[in-house]
Amino acid sequence: MSFLYEEKASRSAFVDVVWRTVDTSDGTYLAAADACWDMIFSELADGGRRVLLSGPSSRPTAVPYTAGNRNIGVRFVQGCYFTHCPSGEMCDRTIALEMPQRAAFDLADARWPFPDYETVDDLVEAFAAHGLLAHDRIVESVLIGRPVEVSARSVQRHFAKVTGLSPHHVRQISRAREAVNRLRAGEAIAAVTYDLGYADQSHLTRDVKRLTGYTPGQSQHRGEPV
């Protein structure tokens, strides 16, 4: 791994995790599919700054990094979405936000301060107070197995509108990410296959490789976070 990484929990119910990195060399990180929104705030080695907004991802994405860059990331929970743009249109898409000032960026017709690791939660709370973040109750209910009073076809359409993905695809992504985290923690491939309900190890290998970019064996020794 050619960057230093740490993460922390967020006080916001909209956020899965907050992380930061320091890039120690040039390289490329293969980010696994996550089916959720992300924001990345970068202090670039050349003195510039950058803010990226990413919609839900359905496949691994190559992310280049440069020695000297410092990054802060926010991964939002599945079922959370930004209200200012159609979520389905942002699937597998990343946009760079306008930065009219070094200390600020523009999002949804408003100007926001560029955060640091200690204040990024404050920024998320400001987004929520501005009505920019919302939880989709149907998506969240389906993902945790809670019954919803709509037809299966309506659920499919709703998922596509909110996330750009089907419920089945989102579940596959969540399961593959959990598999990798367990493998990185030292669990045996056979145990992970059984515990997570894969038909066999070949099934596990196909899904993990397709959705994270690495085989289960490679994942066991992967030093990078998922």
Side-chain angles (χ1 to χ4, degrees), residues 13-210:
F14 292 106
V15 175
D16 179 26
V17 68
V18 175
W19 54 265
R20 65 177 170 181
T21 59
V22 178
D23 300 337
T24 57
S25 69
D26 296 351
T28 301
Y29 167 68
L30 192 58
D34 63 10
C36 58
W37 288 78
D38 297 87
M39 289 193 79
I40 300 175
F41 308 90
S42 298
E43 297 264 8
L44 306 178
D46 63 7
R49 284 180 168 181
R50 180 179 63 206
V51 179
L52 301 178
L53 177 65
S54 296
S57 61
S58 67
R59 56 180 183 264
T61 303
V63 181
Y65 53 85
T66 303
N69 285 3
R70 296 176 177 269
N71 310 287
I72 299 167
V74 179
R75 184 167 68 234
F76 295 90
V77 297
Q78 292 177 352
C80 165
Y81 63 96
F82 279 80
T83 60
H84 73 291
C85 63
S87 296
E89 295 179 8
M90 283 294 292
C91 183
D92 293 317
R93 184 183 174 202
T94 296
I95 58 175
L97 302 182
E98 293 291 332
M99 293 198 64
Q101 305 167 7
R102 174 174 170 75
F105 64 95
D106 288 347
L107 176 66
D109 300 320
R111 190 151 295 171
W112 307 92
F114 190 96
D116 57 30
Y117 197 55
E118 285 68 40
T119 62
V120 69
D121 267 346
D122 296 333
L123 177 63
V124 172
E125 289 185 349
F127 286 164
H130 199 71
L132 267 180
L133 293 172
H135 290 285
D136 189 276
R137 299 305 177 189
I138 292 179
V139 170
E140 292 183 337
S141 293
V142 170
L143 290 178
I144 65 174
R146 181 188 301 144
V148 292
E149 296 180 357
V150 294
S151 68
R153 188 171 182 178
S154 295
V155 168
Q156 292 279 349
R157 288 197 299 264
H158 190 79
F159 257 78
K161 180 179 179 181
V162 173
T163 70
L165 304 168
S166 69
H168 179 63
H169 199 165
V170 175
R171 291 192 191 100
Q172 286 182 319
I173 289 169
S174 296
R175 183 167 66 166
R177 292 178 67 90
E178 183 177 354
V180 171
N181 284 328
R182 289 191 180 197
L183 291 166
R184 291 181 69 237
E187 294 189 35
I189 293 176
V192 172
T193 300
Y194 177 80
D195 288 347
L196 296 184
Y198 287 99
D200 51 35
Q201 290 188 30
S202 294
H203 184 198
L204 169 72
T205 297
R206 287 195 303 273
D207 268 19
V208 168
K209 174 68 173 177
R210 176 172 60 89

